[in-house]
Amino acid sequence: MTTTAATTRTIVTGSAADFRPRRAGSRNREQLVSWAFLAPFLIAFALFLVWPIIHGIILSFTDQSLTGAGGAFVGFANYAEALTDPVMWQSMGNTVWFTLLSTVPLVVIALLMAALVDRGLPGQWLWRLSFFMPYLLASTVISQIWVWIFNPQIGAANNILKFFGLEPLAWLQNPETNMLSIVIATVWWTVGFNFLLYLAAMQNIPSQQYEAASLDGAGPWRQFWSITLPQLGPATVLILILQILASLKLFDQAYQMLGGVASDTTRSIVQYIYEAGFVSYRFGYSAAISYVFFALIVVIGVAQALVSRRRKEQQ
Amino acid sequence: MTPPLDLSRRQFLTAASLAAGTVLLAGCAPGAVAGSRTETLQFWHLLSGGDGVTMSSLLDQVNSAQSAFRIRPTVLAWGTPYYTKLAMAGAGGRAPDVAIMHATRTVGWAPGGLLDTWDLDRLAALGVDASTFPTPIWEKGFVGENMYSVALDAHPFVAMFNTEICDAAGVLDSDGRLQETSSPEEFLDQLRTIGGSAEGHALSYGYLGDGAQMWRLFYGLYAQHGLAIELPVGGKAVIDKDAAVESLTFMQTLLDGEIAAAQADYGGAVAEFATGKSGMLFTGVWELRTMQNAKLPFDATMIPTLYGTPAVYADSHSFVLPHQTNADPVRRDLTYQFVADMLKGSFGWAEAGHIPAFLPVTSSPAYADLIPQAHYAEAAEHVVYDPTAWFTGSGSNFQSEFGAAVQGVLLSGDDPAAAIDRFETRVNTLLRQPNPADPEGTWKP
């Protein structure tokens, strides 16, 4: 009882203090302190995000060069050139193609790996480590590894083909296989992240559901299809969105695996932006292509939001 | 009477911070060596690996020979990263005192004022003038009337050959040099003969994913027709289709899987030759040290003249003066001295395989004894550089574009004529674009 009375008194005292009228100066000081705490973030946000976005838009309307020359206002000339530039569209197409090719295996393989580790395989820590470890490597390292594997003369990939009596391939140089080679390397490199997300989602599924299903006579496959997969819906949506955004940013591994060589079948839009700005020194044009690409991402984002909203409404 | 120093704590701290800052900044200033008259000159270059080691020893030599200046080199990764950084330094007007550039890249930079011009009289006073350089190499230093680069060397694309394999094949003359061939058929016959004595292929030539490698051989062969590709500003590329197709078809013939591997990259080709498996290697002179280190019995020569006119594809590492807004006259003078010293001491550079541009070095008796360097020294008289345009040159996208257009011909047997058309279309697109160093097109050489 004593405890309750004391608590009540405390609350009452506290409430009275809250309703006590404050001086305007004290409120201002509190606001000032809040802004002071926020300031570092706001300054960084404005300097490194807001200003570059605005500056990029301004640049895209000029003929600014990396060499310091130019800078004259050219209206929509850069955008007009970008929209009629076959290399820009080819690069955009390559990027979308890579996204399609890589997203499916990156989701499916990650799901299978997570399912195996979660339910089937002994020594989980070893599998978790093995599957996730490539993700920790830098793009330069994985590029070097896969350049060796795909080497037409001494690479492991062709040795495997030869073992099966097949003709060796110029994996990275042949236009018919170079994008596939980059997809294979990328899947090996990044699937670990999706695997971890799936594994975390799977481990959140209550074990009682599996026990109940088991009592009802459901085998491992039935449990996977009827319990695991449906419950992974939100995780799958998240992984898909993250994966599409990551794949659209294709650049470093492709650039390094091909030695920086411009290839009609693998040049991504980010590489073309880089080439326009830092190889051809055309900053204005490079900025314009960036905003065309930005528009594509916005379209994909809006489409994804519409699909999600529709799904929710149906549910 | 001096008034007493009456400072508040805050004023004192402010004054102390300012003083400390000033001292620190003074320490950062280039060449700020207390009590010393030695100027430190900043030198950027792109030479790594064996070339980097050689350059480093040349700089040590120059540094130790005098006390007026010390060279502080900064080595950056070659290709786009190097040129981007150098361009930005020049655009900011606070560039290094001197830098190395490929001679073929200067034409894209001169209009934007990224480079300062060389004073011919000051160079001549130091013993550097047209008479001390092979004509094509000296002339390549000019953009319009002004000189923008002073060549240290020419580094041509050459043929190295394994003397044991070639001797066994009977294709060496009495001096142990490769027998001369003067037509594609003769050369192909020679290669087939060599192939009979080689464990691997007759010829190693790596090209996969390497536009520069494809371009180096192609343009040398094209120029042997007595032609040059012209890229007029704002116009269309002038390419002799017959000569281009003939040259590319010849390259396709070499890569038949018998004479040379149909699928070989640069590293694979160098490794095949360096391990003594093939009889000949098409490569740049910069691989000389690799072969010497491999203890290979080899010699080198110009790529044979197959179409009538001696011509070898090459570029030159050249000294340039990146633009400085307020160039210090004393340091500028010392920079001229440094370049002259480097040219005169470029025998060491020849040991790395490059052909020194400075004639007194290549005409010296010591150079004549430098084998195999002396065996391809005449290439300096027949060098052919990239066609002149703002987008061409070593490490440029132009060579990558060439590779992208023609790789299918070499790899999968695509039609050479269609590949040349593809390349021409791409070059014409580049020609329509303004020079980013002069987007308004106001600069006149």
Side-chain angles (χ1 to χ4, degrees):
Chain A
M1 287 301 284
T2 317
T3 314
T4 313
T7 312
T8 311
R9 195 166 51 246
T10 309
I11 290 168
V12 169
T13 314
S15 301
D18 283 347
F19 287 109
R20 192 182 299 151
R22 282 187 193 164
R23 284 182 299 143
S26 138
R27 239 192 344 260
N28 282 346
R29 175 168 281 212
E30 273 180 22
Q31 277 185 356
L32 217 61
V33 171
S34 328
W35 282 111
F37 276 109
L38 279 172
F41 167 74
L42 288 176
I43 291 168
F45 182 73
L47 268 180
F48 299 113
L49 195 75
V50 178
W51 173 239
I53 288 173
I54 295 168
H55 190 58
I57 292 172
I58 296 168
L59 274 183
S60 72
F61 291 105
T62 69
D63 62 0
Q64 182 64 52
S65 163
L66 177 78
T67 64
F73 181 73
V74 294
F76 285 93
N78 286 328
Y79 287 95
E81 185 182 339
L83 294 175
T84 54
D85 180 353
V87 182
M88 202 282 294
W89 286 114
Q90 197 178 48
S91 310
M92 197 77 90
N94 290 339
T95 307
V96 173
W97 180 229
F98 172 81
T99 305
L100 291 174
L101 280 180
S102 62
T103 300
V104 175
L106 276 166
V107 174
V108 174
I109 294 173
L111 176 65
L112 293 177
M113 282 160 58
L116 281 173
V117 171
D118 185 48
R119 310 275 302 165
L121 296 173
Q124 284 200 9
W125 68 270
L126 178 68
W127 297 108
R128 272 199 292 254
L129 184 71
S130 314
F131 291 159
F132 189 67
M133 199 173 264
Y135 187 75
L136 301 175
L137 299 176
S139 66
T140 45
V141 176
I142 74 109
S143 302
Q144 197 57 54
I145 291 171
W146 284 91
V147 163
W148 284 332
I149 292 174
F150 288 133
N151 185 293
Q153 286 159 311
I154 54 164
N158 274 350
N159 284 337
I160 293 169
L161 290 184
K162 280 181 208 162
F163 180 79
F164 288 107
L166 298 169
E167 283 295 307
L169 293 172
W171 290 87
L172 286 168
Q173 292 80 22
N174 192 326
E176 287 163 17
T177 54
N178 53 11
M179 182 60 97
L180 182 68
S181 310
I182 292 164
V183 169
I184 292 170
T186 308
V187 169
W188 178 84
W189 179 31
T190 59
V191 74
F193 182 71
N194 293 351
F195 154 75
L196 268 199
L197 290 180
Y198 264 133
L199 191 62
M202 278 181 193
Q203 288 176 345
N204 273 339
I205 300 172
S207 59
Q208 295 91 329
Q209 293 188 12
Y210 291 106
E211 286 161 15
S214 180
L215 288 174
D216 289 340
W221 273 111
R222 170 52 63 193
Q223 289 178 22
F224 182 74
W225 285 112
S226 303
I227 300 173
T228 312
L229 265 189
Q231 301 235 28
L232 290 179
T236 303
V237 172
L238 173 74
I239 289 170
L240 266 176
I241 294 167
L242 292 178
Q243 192 51 59
I244 288 170
L245 290 177
S247 292
L248 283 172
K249 291 192 295 181
L250 166 69
F251 174 53
D252 39 359
Q253 72 271 37
Y255 183 79
Q256 289 167 117
M257 284 170 72
L258 297 172
V261 174
S263 157
D264 289 346
T265 48
T266 57
R267 184 196 275 117
S268 65
I269 188 68
V270 179
Q271 181 170 342
Y272 193 49
I273 290 167
Y274 162 78
E275 284 175 10
F278 292 95
V279 182
S280 299
Y281 304 155
R282 302 182 67 203
F283 257 22
Y285 186 55
S286 178
I289 309 170
S290 307
Y291 282 94
V292 173
F293 180 46
F294 176 68
L296 171 82
I297 293 177
V298 168
V299 168
I300 292 174
V302 169
Q304 182 273 325
L306 289 175
V307 170
S308 313
R309 194 197 295 173
R310 209 168 151 195
R311 269 170 58 104
K312 275 183 191 163
E313 282 169 4
Q314 281 172 350
Q315 282 169 358
Chain B
M1 197 176 117
T2 311
L5 193 63
D6 185 17
L7 290 175
S8 70
R9 183 175 59 91
R10 191 165 289 180
Q11 283 170 325
F12 172 76
L13 287 174
T14 308
S17 306
L18 277 173
T22 309
V23 169
L24 272 176
L25 284 174
C28 293
V33 183
S36 166
R37 283 191 198 161
T38 303
E39 291 282 346
T40 301
L41 301 179
Q42 303 290 340
F43 172 47
W44 284 15
H45 69 80
L46 40 63
L47 302 152
S48 55
D51 282 352
V53 173
T54 310
M55 175 55 75
S56 187
S57 69
L58 289 185
L59 294 179
D60 288 344
Q61 200 178 303
V62 168
N63 278 336
S64 59
Q66 42 71 46
S67 58
F69 63 84
R70 280 195 66 77
I71 293 294
R72 183 184 289 164
T74 300
V75 188
L76 298 159
W78 108 273
T80 303
Y82 178 76
Y83 285 114
T84 302
K85 285 167 193 157
L86 192 58
M88 292 179 81
R94 285 175 295 174
D97 297 292
V98 58
I100 289 278
M101 261 182 90
H102 286 97
T104 49
R105 297 297 299 262
T106 52
V107 68
W109 288 40
L114 294 173
L115 300 175
D116 292 341
T117 55
W118 287 98
D119 184 332
L120 295 176
D121 293 336
R122 285 162 90 176
L123 283 173
L126 292 162
V128 177
D129 58 29
S131 70
T132 55
F133 280 73
T135 308
I137 297 178
W138 178 258
E139 285 176 353
K140 192 63 193 170
F142 287 82
V143 180
E145 296 294 312
N146 294 317
M147 184 180 230
Y148 284 92
S149 67
V150 180
L152 170 65
D153 66 24
H155 47 276
F157 200 60
V158 295
M160 294 182 183
F161 55 94
N162 184 310
T163 45
E164 273 179 14
I165 293 173
C166 290
D167 193 23
V171 297
L172 301 184
D173 62 19
S174 53
D175 295 332
R177 311 279 297 273
L178 198 66
Q179 285 170 1
E180 254 184 52
T181 50
S182 55
S183 71
E185 294 73 28
E186 274 184 39
F187 186 53
L188 289 172
D189 284 345
Q190 188 182 63
L191 285 170
R192 288 190 187 105
T193 310
I194 293 171
S197 301
E199 183 191 334
H201 297 94
L203 170 71
S204 297
Y205 170 58
Y207 69 95
L208 282 176
D210 192 337
Q213 272 292 99
M214 290 181 252
W215 172 254
R216 288 166 186 150
L217 181 56
F218 168 81
Y219 199 52
L221 294 172
Y222 179 90
Q224 289 187 0
H225 290 83
L227 299 162
I229 289 178
E230 289 168 35
L231 304 174
V233 178
K236 295 206 163 186
V238 180
I239 302 175
D240 186 295
K241 205 63 70 65
D242 293 339
V245 170
E246 194 174 359
S247 306
L248 197 52
T249 307
F250 177 71
M251 289 167 67
Q252 198 179 34
T253 312
L254 290 174
L255 300 164
D256 63 355
E258 298 294 325
I259 293 176
Q263 298 179 0
D265 61 7
Y266 183 85
V270 169
E272 186 184 35
F273 184 74
T275 49
K277 290 187 179 129
S278 61
M280 194 180 290
L281 170 71
F282 284 168
T283 187
V285 292
W286 52 86
E287 291 295 354
L288 195 83
R289 278 267 158 89
T290 312
M291 301 312 154
Q292 286 172 334
N293 292 339
K295 312 279 183 218
L296 197 71
F298 79 103
D299 199 346
T301 182
M302 275 174 58
I303 287 176
T305 304
L306 308 179
Y307 298 105
T309 305
V312 287
Y313 172 80
D315 208 333
S316 291
H317 294 120
S318 304
F319 293 104
V320 291
L321 298 169
H323 175 62
Q324 292 185 333
T325 310
N326 297 308
D328 181 317
V330 174
R331 295 162 66 82
R332 201 33 80 85
D333 264 342
L334 293 172
T335 302
Y336 274 77
Q337 185 63 54
F338 160 66
V339 169
D341 289 354
M342 285 293 281
L343 292 174
K344 289 167 189 170
S346 59
F347 184 80
W349 195 235
E351 287 175 325
H354 309 282
I355 304 174
F358 198 57
L359 283 174
V361 173
T362 49
S363 57
S364 68
Y367 187 79
D369 293 337
L370 205 58
I371 305 297
Q373 287 90 328
H375 288 169
Y376 55 75
E378 64 171 311
E381 299 292 341
H382 306 294
V383 293
V384 176
Y385 293 97
D386 266 17
T388 304
W390 70 262
F391 51 80
T392 60
S394 294
S396 70
N397 245 14
F398 171 75
Q399 296 183 354
S400 305
E401 293 291 354
F402 178 77
V406 310
Q407 185 172 260
V409 175
L410 308 180
L411 182 65
S412 327
D414 291 354
D415 177 25
I420 295 298
D421 286 343
R422 269 200 305 277
F423 174 58
E424 189 174 4
T425 305
R426 187 71 191 121
V427 171
N428 285 335
T429 306
L430 291 169
L431 276 171
R432 282 196 296 275
Q433 293 173 3
N435 181 349
D438 180 32
E440 277 92 29
T442 50
W443 192 80
K444 295 283 174 277

